[in-house]
Amino acid sequence: QQQVKQSPQSLIVQKGGISIINCAYENTAFDYFPWYQQFPGKGPALLIAIRPDVSEKKEGRFTISFNKSAKQFSLHIMDSQPGDSATYFCAANPGYSSASKIIFGSGTRLSIRP
Amino acid sequence: EPEVTQTPSHQVTQMGQEVILRCVPISNHLYFYWYRQILGQKVEFLVSFYNNEISEKSEIFDDQFSVERPDGSNFTLKIRSTKLEDSAMYFCASRETGGRGNNYGYTFGSGTRLTVV
């Protein structure tokens, strides 16, 4: 119930292509869904986030698609660039937690080939 | 841009020894967190801290772990008697507000790599 399932584990995309990472959850109490980007030797950095009352959020080349009925959400990176090569984590906030902990997915290692 | 600073960046310790990991959160932030990431695995919540007390802790955060904000700026994680399985990256994070506020954005530090031998 407290898990966020993420796929694929790793992804290789050609430069200019679209990178798609998928996540699924079970707990309908989750009320906030961020995506984090992590470069080697660094901590996770917030990339983009969405609430379940909208179906899509776009910021530059990054788009979150959210399907509340299916309890799934995905990150799309358009025109993928070598600088996008990193590990991406989807996450969710359980809602009930007043301290707002974040539950992370297992991560996707994205490599963009030049 | 304000940063969360963690020290040391890498610590090697012998099994059974005590370690203290240090963090300086962003100055106007009120909520503080520790997460850990075992190599190649996901980031796991350990503990949250607000108003000088623990708000929430995970099942990982057992009696061997403690947190403290000794001087109003530092936020520390102590592991009393380290085990091999404590080897991981430990991330400190802070945020300005808690609860269901508009800003859920955490700021993470760069982490401390703890190696227990």
Side-chain angles (χ1 to χ4, degrees):
Chain A
Q1 275 267 322
Q2 289 296 310
Q3 285 189 347
V4 179
K5 295 182 181 179
Q6 183 171 349
S7 63
Q9 195 171 32
S10 62
L11 181 62
I12 299 173
V13 174
Q14 289 292 128
K15 178 183 175 182
I18 302 173
S19 305
I20 302 174
I21 304 170
N22 300 299
C23 285
Y25 65 98
E26 294 181 359
N27 190 341
T28 55
F30 289 169
D31 67 353
Y32 173 76
F33 301 89
W35 284 88
Y36 285 84
Q37 181 187 55
Q38 184 182 30
F39 292 105
K42 297 291 186 182
L46 180 66
L47 186 63
I48 186 173
I50 197 168
R51 293 187 179 276
D53 52 347
V54 297
S55 60
E56 185 176 281
K57 184 172 182 180
K58 184 175 181 178
E59 290 183 2
R61 295 184 295 110
F62 301 92
T63 300
I64 301 177
S65 297
F66 190 87
N67 185 331
K68 188 173 181 178
S69 61
K71 291 186 250 179
Q72 295 175 345
F73 59 111
S74 59
L75 176 70
H76 296 233
I77 306 175
M78 313 299 286
D79 187 26
S80 299
Q81 299 297 312
D84 297 330
S85 297
T87 299
Y88 291 81
F89 293 94
C90 61
N93 175 276
Y96 67 83
S97 169
S98 62
S100 295
K101 71 181 181 186
I102 293 289
I103 297 170
F104 284 82
S106 54
T108 296
R109 185 170 295 180
L110 175 65
S111 297
I112 307 300
R113 284 195 172 149
Chain B
E1 190 170 326
E3 288 186 343
V4 174
T5 305
Q6 289 187 245
T7 55
S9 57
H10 190 188
Q11 179 149 3
V12 181
T13 188
Q14 292 212 325
M15 190 169 56
Q17 294 297 302
E18 174 183 286
V19 295
I20 297 176
L21 310 183
R22 291 183 166 79
C23 169
V24 179
I26 294 173
S27 61
N28 65 336
H29 284 191
L30 301 177
Y31 289 79
F32 313 110
Y33 306 82
W34 285 100
Y35 286 77
R36 80 172 185 190
Q37 184 179 30
I38 294 171
L39 185 64
Q41 299 186 24
K42 67 180 177 182
V43 181
E44 299 175 293
F45 170 76
L46 291 179
V47 66
S48 58
F49 192 86
Y50 170 71
N51 201 26
N52 287 320
E53 60 182 23
I54 291 173
S55 300
E56 189 172 353
K57 59 183 180 180
S58 72
E59 59 273 12
I60 301 169
F61 194 88
D62 62 20
D63 292 344
Q64 293 299 312
F65 291 87
S66 62
V67 289
E68 198 176 39
R69 193 145 192 258
D71 57 14
S73 62
N74 291 286
F75 179 50
T76 62
L77 175 69
K78 181 192 291 185
I79 309 175
R80 289 192 184 83
S81 178
T82 50
K83 302 187 281 283
L84 294 176
E85 54 264 38
D86 294 327
S87 295
M89 282 289 286
Y90 287 81
F91 293 104
C92 173
S94 69
R95 57 194 297 266
E96 189 173 358
T97 60
R100 296 184 179 186
N102 288 326
N103 175 21
Y104 276 98
Y106 283 47
T107 301
F108 281 86
S110 293
T112 294
R113 181 177 298 282
L114 177 65
T115 302
V116 182
V117 297

